[in-house]
Amino acid sequence: MSAHESKGDQAGVEQGDLQQRDLNQARAQSGPKMTKIMVGVALGAFAFTFALVPMYRIACEKVFGIRLERGVADADLGGHAVADRVVTVQFDGSVNSKLPWDFKPHQLSMKVRPGEQYETTYYARNTTDRAIVGSASPSVAPARASGYFNKTECFCFTAQTLQAGEAREMPVRFIIDPNLPADVETVTLSYTFFKNDVLTARLQQGATSKTPASPLAAP
């Protein structure tokens, strides 16, 4: 092999080594950068998922007019009990004409301190000889106080079934947000019970299907 060919081979090897070093350096530099990108994507996905709950709440309350009730921990985030403030809460109850129930609050009013949890009960009785399912629709007056009245437990969250002649105590637990406007001194919580036709029909149909058939008369 000539000296010229030997130098050419050596130059090729050196060039190959240089390219390999450049490639290794590029990989080393891109590694941390890629890690940062992946971490950023993961954090962004987590933040987006975490934000879905308040976004869902806002969509329900602002777009569809549905207010989601909050638990004790969430409801107390607005502040602590205001020791020197007392609000009067009045209670009212009625039934739709299609629902043959008696329904009324056990007490007409109570004095409460914003930020503290209180409990009251309503009384309901089915006056018929058949089981009926009812659903309660709540309302708060004045309307601008509704966003500060937080129910943590309520019979209005689910449909209620009363058997024939059955009577029941229905509890409500609530917290008045300490941020309730200072000029609101009285808040009224009202419920109207409606007959749940769909669930009542299913209930009565199920009861009919379980009733044994009458024996045939002897010939």
Side-chain angles (χ1 to χ4, degrees), residues 23 37 43 69 93-94 102 105 112 132 149 154 157 164-165 167 170-171 179 185 190 201 214 218:
L23 181 59
I37 293 176
L43 291 176
E69 302 299 337
S94 61
D102 289 333
V112 305
I132 299 178
F149 196 103
C154 182
F157 292 164
M170 298 185 175
N179 295 315
E185 299 179 352
S190 301
S214 302

Side-chain angles (χ1 to χ4, degrees), residues 67-86:
R67 183 171 184 272
L68 301 182
E69 302 299 337
R70 296 175 288 179
V72 176
D74 291 334
D76 195 42
L77 292 179
H80 301 289
V82 181
D84 59 346
R85 185 181 182 189
V86 175

Side-chain angles (χ1 to χ4, degrees), residues 27-46:
R27 289 177 177 174
Q29 294 175 356
S30 63
K33 183 177 180 180
M34 182 59 66
T35 301
K36 292 180 180 179
I37 293 176
M38 295 301 294
V39 171
V41 171
L43 291 176
F46 175 78

Side-chain angles (χ1 to χ4, degrees), residues 160-216:
Q160 302 294 322
T161 301
L162 292 183
Q163 300 298 324
E166 180 184 1
R168 183 185 305 167
E169 303 287 337
M170 298 185 175
V172 180
R173 291 180 181 176
F174 63 91
I175 299 174
I176 298 292
D177 193 314
N179 295 315
L180 177 73
D183 61 329
V184 178
E185 299 179 352
T186 302
V187 178
T188 302
L189 174 64
S190 301
Y191 290 96
T192 301
F193 249 113
F194 295 87
K195 181 180 179 182
N196 192 314
D197 293 317
V198 174
L199 295 183
T200 298
R202 291 179 182 175
L203 181 65
Q204 294 177 353
Q205 183 179 4
T208 302
S209 63
K210 293 180 181 180
T211 303
S214 302
L216 297 176

Side-chain angles (χ1 to χ4, degrees), residues 85-126:
R85 185 181 182 189
V86 175
V87 176
T88 300
V89 179
Q90 298 177 338
F91 305 100
D92 184 41
S94 61
V95 294
N96 181 265
S97 58
K98 293 179 59 179
L99 182 64
W101 285 9
D102 289 333
F103 177 67
K104 60 184 179 180
H106 267 296
Q107 60 186 119
L108 297 179
S109 66
M110 69 166 58
K111 303 289 187 179
V112 305
R113 296 186 183 279
E116 296 183 5
Q117 180 172 259
Y118 293 85
E119 178 176 332
T120 188
T121 56
Y122 278 73
Y123 169 83
R125 183 174 71 92
N126 181 355

